[in-house]
Amino acid sequence: MAIKIVLIAAVVLVALVLAGGHGARRLALRRLGLAAFAAVAVVSILLPDTLTWVAQKVDVGRGTDLLLYALIVVFFSYLSTRYVRDRRTLRQVTALARRVALIEAPAPRPVIGLGHSGADGVDNAVCEDGVERNDGGDGPA
Amino acid sequence: MSRVEFDDLWVVVPTYNEGRVLGQTLTELVAVFPHVCVVDDASLDNSVEIAESFFDQGVRVVAQPINLGQGAALQTGFEYALSDPLMGRLVTFDADGQHLVADAVRLARRLRDGFDVVLGSRFLGAAPQMGRLKGLVLKIAVAYTNLSTGVRLTDTHNGLRALGRTAVAAMKLTQSGMAHASEIVERIKSESLRYTEEGVEIRYSDYSRSKGQSLLNAVNIVVDLLVR
């Protein structure tokens, strides 16, 4: 029973860390988490029995089982951070690729007065007008 | 139908490995529309060369350097068209030849009746020729989209649409896969765009059947809708 409370608390904590805050606050939380992880790791290396002791406190048979539970929580929290980050990266890559594509694309229309669209219809008057003025302006210069 | 009538209109054709049919599709389009933007989504075949050979007929190729999905390709086409100050209308048209140019013309003209968006629908007008299972999946997608966005449509996943300039500017699609179809509907709702539907015919050729029109694609549509 106790393990359920511990696991749910861990999941909620991870979710809060993922969701809450940004920038410096989140970074600080992450660093605290890392420090806690290192401390627990060192203790469990020096005194392997503590892990089993803790496990029994929360009604889990062995220390290895506790480790497995912790690993699962960490794995899913990693997956969710990864997912959020991947989506952001994809958005950035998309924006970048779109800029590249648009920069390299040809102009949508021929310059006024040149090209096919000037050959037919409504724009015709405008185009011819433009051409004449250009010719007039360019001549003396 | 003359090209003059549509001088303010860009047809956006997202394409990915459609070299086999793209030439035919473009030939039909340029007979009516003077401005066609082919957005190549990093095809591995000769799609770009084929599209570029239509340059003199008004086809402009925007080549995405990496594959980003159809939604991203459409958005790229939108932004390209918006870079033309004379663009007043836009039509999205699938590269695989399943749409009819005559339908595109009807949709584009319908914008004149005061709509920002005219969506093509397979379920209005002529009975659609499609498998029962696929029809069912599409209907589910439609029901879900209507439910989640509050619009009333008969077909939300049709590649043929006409948009006025305001609507094009309002789109800003971020869904890269097939979910862009419902994203367009969401924008219609959130931007309070005036919309309507027009019955359109779909040519389910052996080619289109063998390509994106598989039932598995419909599965993708449903998953895209649910997981976002």
Side-chain angles (χ1 to χ4, degrees), chain B residues 12-227:
Chain B
V12 170
V13 184
T15 180
Y16 179 60
N17 294 341
E18 304 282 7
R20 276 173 60 198
V21 285
L22 186 59
Q24 179 62 32
T25 303
L26 290 178
T27 304
E28 291 175 21
L29 278 173
V30 298
V32 177
F33 297 108
H35 307 290
V36 177
C37 169
V38 173
V39 183
D40 179 71
D41 198 12
S43 293
L44 303 169
D45 66 358
N46 58 346
S47 296
V48 169
E49 287 164 43
I50 289 170
E52 280 177 344
S53 70
F54 286 85
F55 185 90
D56 290 337
Q57 285 102 297
V59 174
R60 296 292 176 267
V61 181
V62 181
Q64 299 190 152
I66 49 175
N67 185 263
L68 297 168
Q70 200 183 11
L74 272 182
Q75 181 58 31
T76 301
F78 290 171
E79 291 183 19
Y80 183 77
L82 285 167
S83 78
D84 176 6
L86 300 180
M87 185 273 291
R89 293 177 287 174
L90 183 148
V91 165
T92 66
F93 200 93
D94 285 353
D96 62 8
Q98 61 167 300
H99 301 311
L100 305 181
V101 171
D103 283 336
V105 166
R106 224 154 23 83
L107 263 63
R109 286 184 176 150
R110 200 72 214 285
L111 286 172
R112 298 270 191 239
D113 298 337
F115 294 106
D116 298 308
V117 184
V118 183
L119 298 161
S121 171
R122 287 162 278 201
F123 300 106
L124 286 177
Q129 326 157 346
M130 68 175 76
R132 279 170 59 191
L133 198 51
K134 194 193 166 215
L136 182 70
V137 172
L138 277 169
K139 287 231 164 89
I140 291 171
V142 168
Y144 181 84
T145 309
N146 282 348
L147 205 67
S148 61
T149 60
V151 298
R152 292 203 99 21
L153 293 171
T154 58
D155 187 3
T156 48
H157 284 70
N158 195 308
L160 187 55
R161 320 168 181 87
L163 298 88
R165 187 175 181 106
T166 325
V168 177
M171 281 305 152
K172 300 189 174 68
L173 303 179
T174 58
Q175 298 287 329
S176 47
M178 286 306 291
H180 66 271
S182 13
E183 204 183 5
I184 290 175
V185 179
E186 281 164 18
R187 287 291 185 283
I188 289 173
K189 182 72 183 175
S190 68
E191 304 295 317
S192 310
L193 299 172
R194 291 157 298 175
Y195 66 94
T196 189
E197 282 186 308
E198 273 289 308
V200 298
E201 211 179 298
I202 297 284
R203 281 185 300 204
Y204 283 111
S205 62
D206 290 341
Y207 175 80
S208 69
R209 248 186 267 270
S210 74
K211 258 197 88 101
Q213 295 300 333
S214 74
L215 189 63
L216 286 175
N217 198 30
V219 171
N220 285 336
I221 290 176
V222 171
V223 173
D224 277 346
L225 283 172
L226 297 177
V227 186

Side-chain angles (χ1 to χ4, degrees), chain A residues 83 87 90-91 93-102 104-110 112 116-117 120-123, chain B residues 3-4 7-8 10 34-35 55-56 58 60-66 68 72 75-76 79-80 83-84 86 175-176:
Chain A
Y83 177 72
R87 279 180 68 103
L90 180 65
R91 268 205 306 276
V93 168
T94 302
L96 182 63
R98 181 169 295 136
R99 287 302 329 151
V100 171
L102 290 172
E104 291 189 343
R109 279 170 201 261
I112 303 276
H116 71 91
S117 71
D120 47 26
V122 183
D123 274 352
Chain B
R3 283 160 61 102
V4 179
D7 192 49
D8 67 330
W10 275 92
H35 307 290
F55 185 90
D56 290 337
R60 296 292 176 267
V61 181
V62 181
Q64 299 190 152
I66 49 175
L68 297 168
Q75 181 58 31
T76 301
E79 291 183 19
Y80 183 77
S83 78
D84 176 6
L86 300 180
Q175 298 287 329
S176 47

Side-chain angles (χ1 to χ4, degrees), chain A residues 10-20 77:
Chain A
V11 169
V12 170
L13 190 72
V14 165
L16 283 178
V17 170
L18 290 182
S77 67

